Amino acid sequence: MFLTQVPWYEAPMLTDELKLATRIAKEAGQRILELYHGEIEVKMKGTADPVTEADTRANAYIVGQIQQAFPGDGIVAEENVDHGDSLGKERIWYVDPLDGTKEFIAKNGEFSVMIGLTIGGNSKMGVVYQPVGDKLYSGVVGVGASLRVGDRTTALQVSETASMDSVRLVVSRSHRSQATDDLVAQLGIQHEVCSGSVGLKVGMIAERRADLYVHLSDRSSAWDACGPEAILVAAGGCFRDLAGEPFVYGGTEMANRRGILACSSEILDEVLPVASKLGRQLKLV
């Protein structure tokens, strides 16, 4: 079930794309679970960037399925080395086959498969699937967002709370910075919840289990943002960088150099100045 936010004739429905993304995210999730319960071999792509067979296996499956269904579209996937042929196309899919690899390795269940589609540089459709618990967030901008757990589907709409006293900040389970402590102090936040995976954090905002997520770092990429952005915006939320600017996809820069701010529209005006100030202090903005 979706919440209709604009007249249907003004929004691209992307029915076939959403159906494909939903199917392959769940099927990739099953491939990941096949490796989750055994011994996990970990390699490093960098000093703090682990990768496993589950990452590469899910990546290959998702990319192959998109190429087969939409051969003219571009695909930018985390485990693909070369994105050159895809950049600059009108339609580009962004794929994070296993967001939250550290959580996968720790076996705490807080990892997800994330697939997003951009059109003309803007995120338009996204799915985030949590294999542990069979939990699927999906959204099409201008149409609506939903959450499916097992056989039950519910519409998503972000919280309308405007009081910072009741705002719930969702933070990373695997790492915490001094900048996050500064954000909490300056906004007077009294409630925090923890989660792995950017997609699951943003999903919590969409389903009103949290109100705010701020990534005060340049250590995230376009495939971390695209799918979650579409879901949150479709649910009535805001997804910006720390300067308050919308994300634009399709360029050669993969890193989100100016961080991530995800929240309900009701608190954006109060949160943004503080997040931007911290971003400037960290030389992100």
Side-chain angles (χ1 to χ4, degrees), residues 155-168:
L156 294 176
Q157 185 73 27
V158 297
S159 172
E160 297 176 353
T161 181
S163 171
M164 292 303 299
D165 290 340
S166 58
V167 163
R168 296 154 296 178

Side-chain angles (χ1 to χ4, degrees), residues 74-76 82-92 94 249-254:
I75 305 173
V76 174
D82 184 10
H83 310 301
D85 291 342
S86 293
L87 300 175
K89 291 192 174 183
E90 176 70 9
R91 290 171 38 118
I92 306 175
Y94 285 84
Y249 301 85
T252 58
E253 177 61 78
M254 291 296 113

Side-chain angles (χ1 to χ4, degrees), residues 146-159:
S146 69
L147 169 63
R148 182 172 181 174
V149 182
D151 295 329
R152 182 181 180 186
T153 302
T154 56
L156 294 176
Q157 185 73 27
V158 297
S159 172

Side-chain angles (χ1 to χ4, degrees), residues 182-282:
D182 294 341
L183 180 79
V184 168
Q186 292 180 35
L187 288 175
I189 291 173
Q190 302 177 31
H191 310 285
E192 295 184 31
V193 291
C194 296
S195 178
S197 171
V198 174
L200 298 183
K201 292 183 181 78
V202 173
M204 292 178 71
I205 299 174
E207 62 171 312
R208 301 191 177 200
R209 294 172 56 208
D211 306 286
L212 172 65
Y213 169 57
V214 186
H215 187 74
L216 292 159
S217 167
D218 60 2
R219 291 185 58 81
S220 71
S221 302
W223 46 76
D224 296 308
C226 182
E229 176 181 0
I231 295 165
L232 186 61
V233 172
C238 297
F239 196 97
R240 309 284 179 84
D241 65 23
L242 297 182
E245 296 297 324
F247 281 69
V248 179
Y249 301 85
T252 58
E253 177 61 78
M254 291 296 113
N256 300 322
R257 297 295 183 190
R258 300 202 293 185
I260 298 172
L261 169 59
C263 64
S264 67
S265 58
E266 298 294 333
I267 62 172
L268 178 64
D269 289 344
E270 189 163 356
V271 169
L272 181 57
V274 175
S276 295
K277 177 184 175 182
L278 291 170
R280 290 192 295 272
Q281 293 173 355
L282 295 167

Side-chain angles (χ1 to χ4, degrees), residues 4-261:
T4 301
Q5 298 173 334
V6 299
W8 64 267
Y9 49 83
E10 294 182 5
M13 303 300 288
L14 301 176
T15 303
D16 292 340
E17 290 86 348
L18 182 60
K19 183 177 179 180
L20 172 76
T22 297
R23 176 178 64 81
I24 61 178
K26 297 191 72 168
E27 291 176 355
Q30 293 309 305
R31 285 163 169 76
I32 290 170
L33 287 179
E34 290 173 3
L35 300 169
Y36 180 60
H37 299 294
E39 183 176 351
I40 299 173
E41 180 181 354
V42 181
K43 298 179 181 179
M44 301 299 294
K45 292 187 290 186
T47 56
D49 197 3
V51 64
T52 70
E53 182 183 351
D55 294 82
T56 56
R57 182 185 293 188
N59 192 93
Y61 174 74
I62 294 169
V63 169
Q65 291 291 303
I66 295 173
Q67 287 175 333
Q68 181 178 340
F70 297 99
D73 290 357
I75 305 173
V76 174
E78 181 175 9
E79 306 307 330
N80 283 12
V81 176
D82 184 10
H83 310 301
D85 291 342
S86 293
L87 300 175
K89 291 192 174 183
E90 176 70 9
R91 290 171 38 118
I92 306 175
W93 297 75
Y94 285 84
V95 177
D96 191 336
L98 203 172
D99 184 47
T101 301
K102 291 180 181 178
E103 278 65 41
F104 174 79
I105 294 167
K107 298 190 176 184
N108 64 21
E110 293 179 352
F111 54 89
S112 68
V113 179
M114 305 200 304
I115 303 172
L117 173 65
T118 67
I119 302 176
N122 300 309
S123 179
K124 293 296 184 181
M125 184 278 298
V127 301
V128 172
Y129 179 60
Q130 184 178 15
V132 176
D134 190 24
K135 191 171 188 177
L136 179 81
Y137 300 95
S138 63
V140 176
V141 174
V143 179
S146 69
L147 169 63
R148 182 172 181 174
V149 182
D151 295 329
R152 182 181 180 186
T153 302
T154 56
L156 294 176
Q157 185 73 27
V158 297
S159 172
E160 297 176 353
T161 181
S163 171
M164 292 303 299
D165 290 340
S166 58
V167 163
R168 296 154 296 178
L169 174 70
V170 58
V171 297
S172 175
R173 187 175 298 281
S174 59
H175 55 84
R176 185 185 182 95
S177 66
Q178 179 60 49
T180 299
D181 291 335
D182 294 341
L183 180 79
V184 168
Q186 292 180 35
L187 288 175
I189 291 173
Q190 302 177 31
H191 310 285
E192 295 184 31
V193 291
C194 296
S195 178
S197 171
V198 174
L200 298 183
K201 292 183 181 78
V202 173
M204 292 178 71
I205 299 174
E207 62 171 312
R208 301 191 177 200
R209 294 172 56 208
D211 306 286
L212 172 65
Y213 169 57
V214 186
H215 187 74
L216 292 159
S217 167
D218 60 2
R219 291 185 58 81
S220 71
S221 302
W223 46 76
D224 296 308
C226 182
E229 176 181 0
I231 295 165
L232 186 61
V233 172
C238 297
F239 196 97
R240 309 284 179 84
D241 65 23
L242 297 182
E245 296 297 324
F247 281 69
V248 179
Y249 301 85
T252 58
E253 177 61 78
M254 291 296 113
N256 300 322
R257 297 295 183 190
R258 300 202 293 185
I260 298 172
L261 169 59

